[in-house]
Amino acid sequence: MKKMLALLLACLTVVGLFAGCAGGNNAETTTPTTNTEPTKPADPKEKLQIAMIEDEDTTAHAEINKTVREAVQKWTEEKDAKLATYKLAGENNVRRKETLRTAIVNGANVVVVAGSSYASVVLDLAGEFSNVKFVAVEVSDDAILKAAVTAVGEIYDGNPDNWDIKKYADYENLTRVADIKEMEGKLASFLEGDKKD
């Protein structure tokens, strides 16, 4: 409990690092709560509350951010879901994890991220928050295995064909979209209960 409070307090102290942005009819800019008591993540049976986490719009990320944002916005509008977008200031796993935790504390029951740099973060949090669904777009088997195998103290050889990904990273609340062109369909099927990875 003390660790959770300390983590929440740390998240709140770095609020200045995050700038919320939003788009679409059901999107809103999200300001992390200032309450020091952790709140439970939203009940998955309640209305979907989707948090989209975006890296800075560098040349490398701008196109994927745009494509993922458009697919998520379209889906949330069709399903009358609530969408909050979090813009990550700086790129490192500590900030990524803090941003995802902030979104969950603020009520997100679905978190969408894009890029292999999120592999270890979504693996950690998918295991911790089993009632939150995680959608990892363009996160490769290689990135997932590297993070998962290393986390259990084994040495990853860099060849996904040598490893059983389900042994290391089989979470019912985590799906990966390898090809961004499949984003919309896979998002809908996963969030409506049909997990196909």
Side-chain angles (χ1 to χ4, degrees):
M1 182 67 173
K2 287 182 182 179
K3 286 183 180 180
M4 185 61 136
L5 287 174
L7 181 59
L8 180 60
L9 190 54
C11 288
L12 296 174
T13 19
V14 297
V15 166
L17 299 174
F18 307 110
C21 71
N25 295 337
N26 293 337
E28 67 177 35
T29 300
T30 302
T31 305
T33 179
T34 56
N35 183 358
T36 57
E37 289 296 316
T39 59
K40 286 182 162 181
D43 181 341
K45 294 182 182 181
E46 293 177 6
K47 182 177 179 178
L48 289 177
Q49 297 184 51
I50 300 173
M52 184 174 160
I53 315 300
E54 294 183 347
D55 279 340
E56 293 178 307
D57 278 330
T58 61
T59 305
H61 297 288
E63 188 60 33
I64 190 171
N65 282 347
K66 180 179 183 279
T67 304
V68 172
R69 183 182 321 113
E70 288 171 356
V72 171
Q73 286 173 342
K74 180 179 177 188
W75 192 86
T76 56
E77 289 169 8
E78 288 173 2
K79 300 297 180 184
D80 193 33
K82 184 177 176 184
L83 173 65
T85 303
Y86 293 77
K87 184 78 76 172
L88 185 66
E91 293 187 30
N92 66 53
N93 281 346
V94 171
R95 288 190 176 150
R96 286 184 184 96
K97 193 175 278 191
E98 288 170 349
T99 304
L100 270 69
R101 283 185 181 282
T102 298
I104 293 166
V105 166
N106 285 340
N109 53 12
V110 177
V111 177
V112 180
V113 298
S116 289
S117 56
Y118 282 94
S120 65
V121 173
V122 294
L123 284 174
D124 287 349
L125 295 180
E128 184 176 340
F129 295 101
S130 60
N131 61 337
V132 175
K133 291 188 174 190
F134 294 85
V135 180
V137 182
E138 289 200 348
V139 176
S140 66
D141 286 353
D142 184 60
I144 290 287
L145 281 165
K146 180 178 179 184
V149 170
T150 304
V152 297
E154 295 180 35
I155 298 172
Y156 179 59
D157 65 2
N159 186 349
D161 294 334
N162 294 339
W163 301 85
D164 178 8
I165 196 165
K166 294 196 182 289
K167 177 181 174 187
Y168 294 92
D170 189 25
Y171 295 103
E172 286 299 313
N173 61 328
L174 169 62
T175 193
R176 292 174 297 112
V177 181
D179 184 350
I180 201 159
K181 294 174 193 150
E182 300 171 359
M183 171 76 189
E184 247 180 271
K186 192 141 185 185
L187 178 67
S189 110
F190 176 63
L191 296 180
E192 292 167 4
D194 182 23
K195 181 181 186 265
K196 291 180 183 171
D197 208 7

